[in-house]
Amino acid sequence: MPKVRHRVNSLTEEREQKTVNSRKTSHFDSFIAQIVKNHPTKKNFSIGMIGLADVEKLISIILLQQNSMLDTRLYVKVFEADFSVIEQTNLDLKARLNNLCDKSTGSNLESDLERLAALKQLSATELISIPGCQRLILNRGQCVIDLYVGDIQTNLSHTLAPKLKDAFIDAWLHLSDSLDESLLWQMAKFSSRLAPLFSSNMNAKQIRLAQLTGFTLSEPHCSTLSSSDEVGNEIAEQERRALRQAQADTFLHYPQFPAKGGEIAVIGGGIASTHLALSLAERHKTVRLFCQDNGFSQQASGNKQGAIYPLLTPDNGTLSQYYQQGLLFSRRRLIALVDEGYNIANQLCGVLHTGHDERSRGRLDRIISAQAWPKDIAHSVNANQASQLAGIEIDKDGVFYPLGGWISPPEFTQAAFDKAAQISDVSALFNCNIVRIEQRENAWYLYQSPSEEGGNEIEHGPFATLVLANGHGLTQFEQTKLLPATGFRGQVSHIPARNELAKLNTVLCSHGYLTPSNNQLHCTGASYVKDPKHLDYCPNEQLDNLKKMQHSYEGKSWVDDIDISGHSARVGVRMVTRDHAPMMGCAPDLDVILEQYQQHQHTKESITFWKGNPAPVHEGLFILGGLGSRGITSGPLAAEALAAQLCGEVLPLDMTTLAMLNPNRMLMRKLIKGKAL
């Protein structure tokens, strides 16, 4: 009898779960139908979802934009608390993809092909169970899905509300079980006035709370909407504004101002500037790039191969989480561009990280043992596994980053610009050395060095918005000369592929790095020289690059195949910050900050002043730089976040990360603690 009773209970639970799933699916279909019918003719439309739901609903969202909102950029913000749902979603994706691939004929062949294409897009995004936001850009830039994993209340409260009304969430779909007043107000903070809230399982109390917070309600299977009275709606709207203002007041020292209308000027010609151009082009902005060289990637981004892998820390703090998000975003950018036919040499073969001395081995051990890292982010390997992964004899324990690899920075840069120029009004002016910038009448003017000796400077402008993404030239202007970033020379050696060395099939990272071959050449290096006096080839640095590999893998026969006798190398300068985080955001007015510091320092009152007053900035001037040695990993996401800021959108980074990236962070960290500069 106990077994029979257990079976009856199991069947009852199974029927109840099927009923719940059926109700949610039916309500989701009703939600989609109303979006198609009622969405306004606006260029951008935003949907919020509490709960990831399932693969079918994600595919429906992708097809919704593709088939019914072709001229609309659709933003979907999904908040999911359960990390295990990500793994289940990936398994479901693979199963559905295999099932559709097996179908060769059928009455709904066209529909199956559309679904197959959507499934392939979604599968290529490599969803990973990491905290924070993962941005997926699908449908050639027209469908943007932000997946926030972790506590929903925390993710909502730690994300800045958009600056412009057009970026507010237009409709919410609630697919979770929990919905309280606190969560509803956080949702309301992001929402447009009377945004509809669709939910399949709200009780009477939750309905009253939803109306109290200013939502229009949609009941299952009903086309009519219910809301509170006009007075109640106005009160709710006032409360929403108060919430946004209160949040903004806590972030005065890390301002997030959007750009004004008009053309956007960008100085630079590398990863940062071209990926910013692409992110802005996807928002249909007009962009003018000014590059001092005769083509892109003549500076730090000109290496033949650049490694891409995360920077992890034992505490998995903000910096570590940002580099994981950056890795995933750069991979998605790469895969999407390659799928669209752009030529980008790459090999996402993973990165094998081994220690070269007792200290570095200890640090790796602390990193990999301190967290339950998702296996696709990082996992430990023993000596035998390391050799198998590398294809050559390693015989050292280490850490493997499966999603890493190498990318050609010049081709990644060129592809980003080419796509940007294809989809919007984006152009570049080469051989244009901008020697100074000036603001007049709320507009920026750029001054190019004379084309001939004794000639006059060439003026470009006016521009309402100017972004400095010019690598090691970031501090060359009067407005930015005090930014805390330093140039480090790096010489990368080019090694012929031969003998055992040619068998290397993953990127090695130890005292230096070594890539698998591309066009019969490996890259190894790089040197690290502060404030270089010149950028000429240096024989000593070439030898040092060899010694790093010899030191890292002593006694291995393949190391003898590293041949530097051809003196083939490339030199570039990376701009490095002390905390290893890029700079992204409004350009601080450091002269004004230092003037104010003379009156407000080292007291409790000074702390109150710095916390309670907006940090001085140059209006309309923005910074995107300090990418350091991992620009391919960190740059594209920083560019996407800055584009979102310039357009007044919800940024795909939380407030803690934005504070870490802000160009004035090092000064403000001290000032708001009352410390001396």
Side-chain angles (χ1 to χ4, degrees):
M1 287 298 293
K3 291 183 179 181
V4 172
R5 186 180 301 113
H6 176 76
R7 178 57 179 158
V8 169
N9 291 338
S10 176
L11 288 172
T12 301
E13 290 174 1
E14 185 177 336
R15 282 195 297 270
E16 289 176 350
Q17 185 61 46
K18 286 182 177 180
T19 300
V20 170
N21 290 339
S22 176
R23 186 170 66 246
K24 288 183 177 180
T25 298
S26 177
H27 199 56
F28 180 81
D29 292 341
S30 173
F31 169 72
I32 291 295
Q34 289 201 38
I35 291 297
V36 172
K37 180 181 178 181
N38 299 327
H39 84 270
T41 56
K42 54 189 296 190
K43 293 182 179 179
N44 300 316
F45 192 85
S46 295
I47 296 173
M49 291 175 59
I50 302 297
L52 179 56
D54 54 39
V55 170
E56 280 299 316
K57 294 177 178 57
L58 291 177
I59 296 302
S60 295
I61 290 288
I62 295 171
L63 295 178
L64 167 67
Q65 188 284 318
Q66 183 177 301
N67 296 328
S68 303
M69 306 175 74
L70 194 59
D71 297 326
T72 298
R73 195 172 203 226
L74 179 61
Y75 292 83
V76 184
K77 304 192 180 302
V78 183
F79 296 86
E80 174 55 58
D82 188 352
F83 283 83
S84 67
V85 170
I86 306 302
E87 185 175 350
Q88 183 56 49
T89 299
N90 285 327
L91 293 173
D92 197 9
L93 269 171
K94 291 178 182 178
R96 292 171 187 271
L97 190 58
N98 291 335
N99 184 48
L100 268 181
C101 286
D102 291 339
K103 289 185 177 182
S104 57
T105 59
S107 57
N108 295 319
L109 182 58
E110 184 176 349
S111 175
D112 285 345
L113 290 175
E114 283 188 348
R115 288 173 51 75
L116 180 60
L119 277 167
K120 285 182 176 179
Q121 278 195 85
L122 204 52
S123 296
T125 61
E126 297 281 359
L127 299 178
I128 305 295
S129 297
I130 61 172
C133 177
Q134 299 180 56
R135 172 154 288 191
L136 321 179
I137 301 180
L138 309 166
N139 289 356
R140 295 179 176 264
Q142 286 297 95
C143 182
V144 180
I145 298 179
D146 284 339
L147 176 58
Y148 297 80
V149 186
D151 183 74
I152 295 174
Q153 180 82 18
T154 300
N155 276 322
L156 282 166
S157 63
H158 289 187
T159 301
L160 281 173
K163 294 292 185 181
L164 301 180
K165 290 184 177 180
D166 283 348
F168 286 165
I169 291 179
D170 297 289
W172 281 91
L173 177 65
H174 179 258
L175 297 169
S176 181
D177 295 326
S178 61
L179 189 65
D180 57 26
E181 184 175 1
S182 179
L183 181 59
L184 280 164
W185 276 119
Q186 287 299 324
M187 293 163 60
K189 180 183 70 178
F190 292 92
S191 303
S192 60
R193 183 181 177 89
L194 298 180
L197 170 60
F198 295 74
S199 181
S200 59
N201 56 348
M202 290 175 66
N203 57 39
K205 179 181 178 181
Q206 290 170 331
I207 290 174
R208 288 195 300 272
L209 288 173
Q211 292 175 328
L212 174 69
T213 50
F215 287 103
T216 299
L217 301 182
S218 171
E219 300 298 333
H221 313 298
C222 294
S223 58
T224 57
L225 302 175
S226 62
S227 64
S228 56
D229 58 80
E230 281 301 317
V231 174
N233 291 336
E234 184 55 39
I235 292 174
E237 192 61 26
Q238 291 176 6
E239 291 293 332
R240 292 180 178 195
R241 288 195 293 267
L243 276 173
R244 294 167 191 146
Q245 187 60 53
Q247 184 184 55
D249 288 345
T250 67
F251 219 57
L252 290 174
H253 38 293
Y254 300 120
Q256 302 293 315
F257 298 127
K260 295 181 179 179
E263 293 184 350
I264 299 173
V266 180
I267 301 178
I271 289 285
S273 59
T274 55
H275 279 264
L276 176 62
L278 174 54
S279 290
L280 289 170
E282 289 174 331
R283 294 161 171 84
H284 308 292
K285 298 299 180 182
T286 298
V287 183
R288 302 289 175 250
L289 267 68
F290 297 87
C291 179
Q292 69 177 21
D293 303 305
N294 59 9
F296 294 126
S297 301
Q298 302 299 300
Q299 303 299 319
S301 61
N303 291 331
K304 294 179 181 294
Q305 296 170 284
I308 173 173
Y309 63 108
L311 172 62
L312 304 182
T313 59
D315 65 346
N316 194 25
T318 305
L319 184 69
S320 176
Q321 292 181 29
Y322 174 76
Y323 272 95
Q324 292 169 68
Q325 293 168 298
L327 166 69
L328 296 175
F329 186 82
S330 292
R331 277 181 55 98
R332 291 165 187 149
R333 271 293 193 211
L334 169 70
I335 292 169
L337 287 168
V338 170
D339 285 347
E340 291 177 32
Y342 293 96
N343 181 37
I344 308 172
N346 74 92
Q347 193 176 358
L348 297 177
C349 52
V351 173
L352 177 61
H353 196 172
T354 61
H356 59 275
D357 57 20
E358 185 175 350
R359 181 180 177 183
S360 61
R361 286 190 291 271
R363 185 172 184 278
L364 276 179
D365 288 341
R366 288 193 298 274
I367 289 172
I368 201 64
S369 61
Q371 302 287 332
W373 303 102
K375 191 171 183 180
D376 284 334
I377 291 294
H379 63 266
S380 60
V381 293
N382 60 35
N384 289 333
Q385 291 170 327
S387 296
Q388 291 173 2
L389 287 167
I392 57 177
E393 186 181 8
I394 299 297
D395 289 341
K396 282 188 174 186
D397 296 345
V399 173
F400 188 59
Y401 310 105
L403 297 180
W406 67 264
I407 301 174
S408 166
E411 293 178 4
F412 198 26
T413 296
Q414 187 67 54
F417 176 80
D418 288 346
K419 180 174 180 181
Q422 180 184 20
I423 61 179
S424 190
D425 185 2
V426 176
S427 62
L429 182 62
F430 296 106
N431 297 309
C432 180
N433 184 25
I434 303 298
V435 293
R436 67 185 180 94
I437 57 176
E438 181 180 296
Q439 188 180 34
R440 299 198 312 268
E441 299 176 352
N442 296 320
W444 286 94
Y445 294 83
L446 288 57
Y447 293 92
Q448 179 183 348
S449 58
S451 55
E452 56 185 33
E453 189 174 349
N456 296 323
E457 292 179 331
I458 302 170
E459 182 183 88
H460 301 277
F463 297 102
T465 302
L466 171 60
V467 180
L468 303 182
N470 52 331
H472 70 90
L474 189 61
T475 56
Q476 75 182 56
F477 303 114
E478 185 67 23
Q479 295 85 346
T480 58
K481 65 183 180 182
L482 297 179
L483 283 175
T486 305
F488 281 81
R489 168 193 165 104
Q491 180 166 304
V492 175
S493 304
H494 302 150
I495 309 301
R498 63 176 192 170
N499 304 331
E500 289 295 309
L501 180 61
K503 298 178 182 179
L504 176 65
N505 54 26
T506 192
V507 177
L508 294 182
C509 178
S510 189
H511 197 183
Y513 79 94
L514 178 67
T515 65
S517 67
N518 179 45
N519 294 327
Q520 298 302 307
L521 284 178
H522 303 265
C523 289
T524 191
S527 58
Y528 206 70
V529 181
K530 184 178 180 179
D531 293 326
K533 305 302 180 184
H534 63 84
L535 298 182
D536 299 332
Y537 169 81
C538 179
N540 288 337
E541 291 178 36
Q542 192 84 336
L543 183 59
D544 286 343
N545 287 342
L546 171 61
K547 288 180 178 179
K548 287 177 182 177
M549 284 295 106
Q550 292 173 335
H551 179 212
S552 299
Y553 303 101
E554 293 180 1
K556 300 296 180 278
S557 59
W558 58 266
V559 176
D560 296 334
D561 296 328
I562 300 177
D563 180 10
I564 62 171
S565 62
H567 302 288
S568 178
R570 186 184 182 281
V571 179
V573 176
R574 332 83 151 176
M575 210 63 170
V576 179
T577 62
R578 188 177 301 173
D579 58 6
H580 303 291
M583 289 184 174
M584 185 283 293
C586 299
D589 192 331
L590 297 176
D591 289 333
V592 173
I593 290 176
L594 292 175
E595 286 177 10
Q596 292 179 345
Y597 175 67
Q598 300 305 314
Q599 305 297 322
H600 303 281
Q601 54 179 301
H602 309 251
T603 65
K604 291 182 179 179
E605 290 76 14
S606 71
I607 295 175
T608 302
F609 172 83
W610 292 110
K611 284 185 176 180
N613 288 279
V617 298
H618 292 284
E619 185 179 359
L621 183 64
F622 299 85
I623 303 295
L624 180 61
L627 303 184
S629 301
R630 301 179 191 237
I632 305 178
T633 307
S634 64
L637 178 56
E640 173 67 12
L642 181 56
Q645 177 184 331
L646 294 176
C647 296
E649 301 171 1
V650 178
L651 277 66
L653 300 171
D654 64 18
M655 295 167 66
T656 305
T657 306
L658 292 175
M660 180 191 72
L661 298 179
N662 200 280
N664 70 7
R665 61 186 181 263
M666 295 183 191
L667 288 178
M668 296 310 299
R669 285 172 188 164
K670 293 182 178 181
L671 292 172
I672 61 179
K673 292 180 180 178
K675 295 183 177 180
L677 294 181

